[in-house]
CSV table of all heavy atoms in Angstrom, one decimal:
chain,number,residue,atom,x,y,z
Q,1,ASP,N,-59.1,-11.1,19.8
Q,1,ASP,CA,-60.2,-10.9,18.8
Q,1,ASP,C,-60.4,-9.4,18.7
Q,1,ASP,O,-60.9,-8.7,19.6
Q,1,ASP,CB,-61.5,-11.6,19.3
Q,1,ASP,CG,-62.6,-11.5,18.2
Q,1,ASP,OD1,-62.2,-11.2,17.0
Q,1,ASP,OD2,-63.7,-11.6,18.5
Q,2,PRO,N,-59.9,-8.8,17.5
Q,2,PRO,CA,-59.3,-9.5,16.4
Q,2,PRO,C,-57.9,-10.0,16.6
Q,2,PRO,O,-57.2,-9.5,17.5
Q,2,PRO,CB,-59.3,-8.3,15.3
Q,2,PRO,CG,-59.2,-7.1,16.1
Q,2,PRO,CD,-60.0,-7.4,17.4
Q,3,PRO,N,-57.4,-10.9,15.8
Q,3,PRO,CA,-56.1,-11.5,16.1
Q,3,PRO,C,-55.0,-10.5,15.7
Q,3,PRO,O,-53.8,-10.7,16.2
Q,3,PRO,CB,-56.1,-12.7,15.2
Q,3,PRO,CG,-57.0,-12.4,14.1
Q,3,PRO,CD,-58.1,-11.6,14.7
Q,4,CYS,N,-55.2,-9.6,14.8
Q,4,CYS,CA,-54.2,-8.7,14.4
Q,4,CYS,C,-54.8,-7.4,13.8
Q,4,CYS,O,-56.0,-7.4,13.5
Q,4,CYS,CB,-53.2,-9.3,13.4
Q,4,CYS,SG,-54.0,-9.8,11.8
Q,5,GLY,N,-54.0,-6.4,13.5
Q,5,GLY,CA,-54.4,-5.2,12.9
Q,5,GLY,C,-53.3,-4.6,12.1
Q,5,GLY,O,-52.1,-4.8,12.5
Q,6,GLN,N,-53.6,-3.9,11.1
Q,6,GLN,CA,-52.5,-3.3,10.3
Q,6,GLN,C,-52.0,-2.0,11.0
Q,6,GLN,O,-52.7,-1.2,11.5
Q,6,GLN,CB,-53.0,-2.9,8.9
Q,6,GLN,CG,-51.9,-2.5,7.9
Q,6,GLN,CD,-52.3,-2.4,6.5
Q,6,GLN,OE1,-53.4,-2.2,6.2
Q,6,GLN,NE2,-51.3,-2.7,5.6
Q,7,ALA,N,-50.6,-2.0,11.1
Q,7,ALA,CA,-50.0,-0.9,11.8
Q,7,ALA,C,-50.3,0.5,11.1
Q,7,ALA,O,-50.5,0.5,9.9
Q,7,ALA,CB,-48.5,-1.1,11.9
Q,8,ALA,N,-50.4,1.5,11.9
Q,8,ALA,CA,-50.7,2.9,11.4
Q,8,ALA,C,-49.5,3.4,10.6
Q,8,ALA,O,-49.7,4.3,9.8
Q,8,ALA,CB,-51.0,3.8,12.5
Q,9,SER,N,-48.3,2.8,10.7
Q,9,SER,CA,-47.1,3.3,10.1
Q,9,SER,C,-46.1,2.1,10.0
Q,9,SER,O,-46.2,1.1,10.7
Q,9,SER,CB,-46.5,4.4,10.9
Q,9,SER,OG,-45.2,4.8,10.5
Q,10,MET,N,-45.2,2.3,9.1
Q,10,MET,CA,-44.1,1.3,9.0
Q,10,MET,C,-43.0,1.7,10.0
Q,10,MET,O,-41.9,1.0,10.0
Q,10,MET,CB,-43.6,1.1,7.6
Q,10,MET,CG,-43.0,2.4,7.0
Q,10,MET,SD,-42.5,2.1,5.3
Q,10,MET,CE,-42.3,3.8,4.7
Q,11,GLU,N,-43.1,2.7,10.7
Q,11,GLU,CA,-42.1,3.2,11.7
Q,11,GLU,C,-42.0,2.3,12.9
Q,11,GLU,O,-43.1,1.8,13.4
Q,11,GLU,CB,-42.4,4.6,12.1
Q,11,GLU,CG,-41.9,5.7,11.1
Q,11,GLU,CD,-40.4,5.8,11.1
Q,11,GLU,OE1,-39.8,6.2,12.2
Q,11,GLU,OE2,-39.8,5.6,10.1
Q,12,PRO,N,-40.8,2.1,13.5
Q,12,PRO,CA,-40.7,1.4,14.8
Q,12,PRO,C,-41.3,2.2,15.9
Q,12,PRO,O,-41.5,3.5,15.8
Q,12,PRO,CB,-39.2,1.2,14.9
Q,12,PRO,CG,-38.6,1.5,13.6
Q,12,PRO,CD,-39.5,2.4,12.9
Q,13,CYS,N,-41.5,1.6,17.0
Q,13,CYS,CA,-42.0,2.2,18.2
Q,13,CYS,C,-40.8,2.6,19.1
Q,13,CYS,O,-39.9,1.8,19.3
Q,13,CYS,CB,-43.0,1.3,18.9
Q,13,CYS,SG,-43.7,2.0,20.4
Q,14,PHE,N,-40.9,3.7,19.8
Q,14,PHE,CA,-40.0,4.2,20.8
Q,14,PHE,C,-40.6,3.8,22.1
Q,14,PHE,O,-41.6,4.4,22.5
Q,14,PHE,CB,-39.7,5.7,20.6
Q,14,PHE,CG,-38.9,6.3,21.7
Q,14,PHE,CD1,-38.0,5.6,22.5
Q,14,PHE,CD2,-39.0,7.7,21.9
Q,14,PHE,CE1,-37.3,6.2,23.5
Q,14,PHE,CE2,-38.2,8.3,22.9
Q,14,PHE,CZ,-37.4,7.6,23.7
Q,15,PHE,N,-40.0,2.9,22.8
Q,15,PHE,CA,-40.7,2.3,24.0
Q,15,PHE,C,-40.6,3.2,25.3
Q,15,PHE,O,-41.3,3.0,26.2
Q,15,PHE,CB,-40.1,0.9,24.3
Q,15,PHE,CG,-40.3,-0.1,23.3
Q,15,PHE,CD1,-39.4,-1.0,22.9
Q,15,PHE,CD2,-41.6,-0.2,22.7
Q,15,PHE,CE1,-39.6,-2.0,22.0
Q,15,PHE,CE2,-41.9,-1.2,21.8
Q,15,PHE,CZ,-40.9,-2.1,21.4
Q,16,ALA,N,-39.6,4.0,25.3
Q,16,ALA,CA,-39.3,4.8,26.6
Q,16,ALA,C,-39.3,6.3,26.3
Q,16,ALA,O,-38.4,7.0,26.6
Q,16,ALA,CB,-38.0,4.3,27.2
Q,17,ALA,N,-40.4,6.8,25.8
Q,17,ALA,CA,-40.6,8.2,25.5
Q,17,ALA,C,-40.6,9.1,26.8
Q,17,ALA,O,-41.0,8.6,27.8
Q,17,ALA,CB,-41.8,8.4,24.7
Q,18,PRO,N,-40.1,10.3,26.7
Q,18,PRO,CA,-40.1,11.2,27.8
Q,18,PRO,C,-41.6,11.7,28.1
Q,18,PRO,O,-42.3,12.0,27.2
Q,18,PRO,CB,-39.3,12.4,27.4
Q,18,PRO,CG,-39.4,12.4,25.9
Q,18,PRO,CD,-39.5,10.9,25.5
Q,19,ASN,N,-41.9,11.7,29.3
Q,19,ASN,CA,-43.3,12.2,29.7
Q,19,ASN,C,-43.2,13.3,30.8
Q,19,ASN,O,-44.2,13.6,31.4
Q,19,ASN,CB,-44.2,11.0,30.2
Q,19,ASN,CG,-43.6,10.3,31.4
Q,19,ASN,OD1,-42.5,10.7,31.9
Q,19,ASN,ND2,-44.2,9.3,31.9
Q,20,TYR,N,-42.0,13.9,30.9
Q,20,TYR,CA,-41.8,14.9,31.9
Q,20,TYR,C,-40.8,15.9,31.3
Q,20,TYR,O,-39.7,15.5,30.9
Q,20,TYR,CB,-41.3,14.4,33.2
Q,20,TYR,CG,-41.2,15.4,34.3
Q,20,TYR,CD1,-42.3,16.0,34.9
Q,20,TYR,CD2,-39.9,15.9,34.7
Q,20,TYR,CE1,-42.2,16.9,35.9
Q,20,TYR,CE2,-39.8,16.8,35.7
Q,20,TYR,CZ,-40.9,17.4,36.3
Q,20,TYR,OH,-40.8,18.3,37.3
Q,21,ASN,N,-41.2,17.2,31.3
Q,21,ASN,CA,-40.2,18.2,30.9
Q,21,ASN,C,-39.6,18.8,32.1
Q,21,ASN,O,-40.2,19.6,32.9
Q,21,ASN,CB,-41.0,19.3,30.1
Q,21,ASN,CG,-40.0,20.3,29.4
Q,21,ASN,OD1,-39.0,20.7,30.0
Q,21,ASN,ND2,-40.4,20.7,28.2
Q,22,LEU,N,-38.3,18.5,32.3
Q,22,LEU,CA,-37.6,18.9,33.5
Q,22,LEU,C,-37.5,20.4,33.6
Q,22,LEU,O,-37.5,21.0,34.7
Q,22,LEU,CB,-36.2,18.2,33.5
Q,22,LEU,CG,-35.4,18.3,34.8
Q,22,LEU,CD1,-35.9,17.5,35.9
Q,22,LEU,CD2,-33.9,17.9,34.5
Q,23,TRP,N,-37.3,21.0,32.5
Q,23,TRP,CA,-37.1,22.5,32.4
Q,23,TRP,C,-38.3,23.2,32.8
Q,23,TRP,O,-38.3,24.3,33.5
Q,23,TRP,CB,-36.6,22.9,31.1
Q,23,TRP,CG,-35.5,22.0,30.6
Q,23,TRP,CD1,-35.6,20.9,29.7
Q,23,TRP,CD2,-34.1,22.1,31.0
Q,23,TRP,NE1,-34.4,20.3,29.5
Q,23,TRP,CE2,-33.4,21.0,30.3
Q,23,TRP,CE3,-33.4,22.9,31.8
Q,23,TRP,CZ2,-32.1,20.8,30.4
Q,23,TRP,CZ3,-32.0,22.7,31.9
Q,23,TRP,CH2,-31.4,21.6,31.3
Q,24,LYS,N,-39.5,22.7,32.4
Q,24,LYS,CA,-40.8,23.4,32.7
Q,24,LYS,C,-41.5,22.8,33.9
Q,24,LYS,O,-42.5,23.3,34.3
Q,24,LYS,CB,-41.7,23.3,31.5
Q,24,LYS,CG,-41.1,24.1,30.3
Q,24,LYS,CD,-42.1,24.0,29.1
Q,24,LYS,CE,-41.5,24.7,27.9
Q,24,LYS,NZ,-42.5,24.6,26.7
Q,25,LYS,N,-40.8,21.8,34.5
Q,25,LYS,CA,-41.4,21.1,35.7
Q,25,LYS,C,-42.8,20.6,35.4
Q,25,LYS,O,-43.8,20.9,36.1
Q,25,LYS,CB,-41.4,22.0,36.9
Q,25,LYS,CG,-40.1,22.6,37.3
Q,25,LYS,CD,-39.1,21.6,37.7
Q,25,LYS,CE,-37.8,22.3,38.1
Q,25,LYS,NZ,-36.7,21.3,38.3
Q,26,GLN,N,-43.0,20.0,34.2
Q,26,GLN,CA,-44.3,19.7,33.7
Q,26,GLN,C,-44.4,18.3,33.2
Q,26,GLN,O,-43.6,17.8,32.4
Q,26,GLN,CB,-44.6,20.7,32.6
Q,26,GLN,CG,-46.0,20.5,31.9
Q,26,GLN,CD,-46.1,21.4,30.7
Q,26,GLN,OE1,-45.2,22.0,30.2
Q,26,GLN,NE2,-47.4,21.6,30.3
Q,27,TRP,N,-45.4,17.5,33.7
Q,27,TRP,CA,-45.8,16.2,33.1
Q,27,TRP,C,-46.6,16.5,31.9
Q,27,TRP,O,-47.4,17.4,31.8
Q,27,TRP,CB,-46.6,15.4,34.1
Q,27,TRP,CG,-45.8,15.0,35.3
Q,27,TRP,CD1,-45.8,15.7,36.6
Q,27,TRP,CD2,-45.0,13.9,35.5
Q,27,TRP,NE1,-45.0,15.0,37.4
Q,27,TRP,CE2,-44.4,13.9,36.8
Q,27,TRP,CE3,-44.6,12.9,34.6
Q,27,TRP,CZ2,-43.6,13.0,37.3
Q,27,TRP,CZ3,-43.7,11.9,35.1
Q,27,TRP,CH2,-43.2,12.0,36.4
Q,28,LEU,N,-46.4,15.6,30.9
Q,28,LEU,CA,-47.1,15.8,29.6
Q,28,LEU,C,-47.3,14.5,28.9
Q,28,LEU,O,-46.6,13.5,29.2
Q,28,LEU,CB,-46.4,16.7,28.7
Q,28,LEU,CG,-45.1,16.2,28.0
Q,28,LEU,CD1,-44.8,17.1,26.8
Q,28,LEU,CD2,-43.9,16.1,28.9
Q,29,ASP,N,-48.2,14.5,28.0
Q,29,ASP,CA,-48.4,13.3,27.1
Q,29,ASP,C,-47.7,13.6,25.8
Q,29,ASP,O,-48.1,14.5,25.0
Q,29,ASP,CB,-49.9,13.2,26.8
Q,29,ASP,CG,-50.2,12.0,25.8
Q,29,ASP,OD1,-49.2,11.4,25.3
Q,29,ASP,OD2,-51.4,11.8,25.5
Q,30,PRO,N,-46.6,13.0,25.6
Q,30,PRO,CA,-45.7,13.3,24.4
Q,30,PRO,C,-46.4,13.1,23.1
Q,30,PRO,O,-46.0,13.7,22.1
Q,30,PRO,CB,-44.5,12.4,24.5
Q,30,PRO,CG,-45.0,11.3,25.4
Q,30,PRO,CD,-46.0,11.8,26.3
Q,31,SER,N,-47.5,12.3,23.1
Q,31,SER,CA,-48.2,12.1,21.8
Q,31,SER,C,-49.1,13.3,21.4
Q,31,SER,O,-49.6,13.3,20.3
Q,31,SER,CB,-49.1,10.9,21.9
Q,31,SER,OG,-50.2,11.1,22.8
Q,32,THR,N,-49.1,14.3,22.2
Q,32,THR,CA,-49.9,15.5,21.9
Q,32,THR,C,-49.0,16.7,21.5
Q,32,THR,O,-49.5,17.8,21.2
Q,32,THR,CB,-50.7,16.0,23.1
Q,32,THR,OG1,-49.9,16.3,24.2
Q,32,THR,CG2,-51.7,14.8,23.6
Q,33,VAL,N,-47.7,16.5,21.5
Q,33,VAL,CA,-46.8,17.7,21.2
Q,33,VAL,C,-46.8,18.0,19.7
Q,33,VAL,O,-46.9,19.2,19.4
Q,33,VAL,CB,-45.4,17.3,21.6
Q,33,VAL,CG1,-44.4,18.4,21.3
Q,33,VAL,CG2,-45.3,17.0,23.1
Q,34,VAL,N,-46.7,17.1,18.8
Q,34,VAL,CA,-46.8,17.3,17.4
Q,34,VAL,C,-47.8,16.3,16.8
Q,34,VAL,O,-47.9,15.2,17.3
Q,34,VAL,CB,-45.4,17.2,16.7
Q,34,VAL,CG1,-44.6,18.4,17.1
Q,34,VAL,CG2,-44.7,15.9,17.1
Q,35,PRO,N,-48.5,16.7,15.7
Q,35,PRO,CA,-49.5,15.8,15.2
Q,35,PRO,C,-49.0,14.5,14.6
Q,35,PRO,O,-49.8,13.5,14.5
Q,35,PRO,CB,-50.2,16.6,14.1
Q,35,PRO,CG,-49.2,17.7,13.8
Q,35,PRO,CD,-48.4,17.9,15.0
Q,36,HIS,N,-47.8,14.4,14.2
Q,36,HIS,CA,-47.3,13.2,13.5
Q,36,HIS,C,-46.6,12.2,14.5
Q,36,HIS,O,-45.9,11.3,14.0
Q,36,HIS,CB,-46.4,13.5,12.3
Q,36,HIS,CG,-45.4,14.6,12.6
Q,36,HIS,ND1,-45.8,15.9,12.4
Q,36,HIS,CD2,-44.2,14.5,13.0
Q,36,HIS,CE1,-44.7,16.6,12.7
Q,36,HIS,NE2,-43.7,15.8,13.1
Q,37,VAL,N,-46.6,12.5,15.8
Q,37,VAL,CA,-46.0,11.6,16.8
Q,37,VAL,C,-47.2,11.1,17.7
Q,37,VAL,O,-47.8,11.9,18.4
Q,37,VAL,CB,-45.0,12.3,17.6
Q,37,VAL,CG1,-44.5,11.4,18.7
Q,37,VAL,CG2,-43.8,12.8,16.8
Q,38,LYS,N,-47.5,9.8,17.6
Q,38,LYS,CA,-48.6,9.2,18.3
Q,38,LYS,C,-48.2,8.0,19.1
Q,38,LYS,O,-47.1,7.5,19.0
Q,38,LYS,CB,-49.7,8.8,17.2
Q,38,LYS,CG,-50.2,9.9,16.4
Q,38,LYS,CD,-51.0,10.9,17.2
Q,38,LYS,CE,-51.6,12.0,16.4
Q,38,LYS,NZ,-52.2,13.1,17.2
């Protein structure tokens, strides 16, 4: 409840996004890197 909702985009979801920058030795939330990636 609710049973469904309209997707924010017609784009597919990337299920296994990177959350660690090996070069900077830094954990991060990838959804904060650029405004159009959520």
Side-chain angles (χ1 to χ4, degrees):
D1 185 18
C4 64
Q6 192 166 29
S9 167
M10 59 183 169
E11 277 287 299
C13 181
F14 174 22
F15 293 140
N19 58 3
Y20 183 73
N21 189 320
L22 188 72
W23 311 98
K24 297 180 179 179
K25 310 295 183 186
Q26 178 184 16
W27 293 95
L28 77 160
D29 178 356
S31 68
T32 63
V33 176
V34 288
H36 44 273
V37 176
K38 299 296 183 185

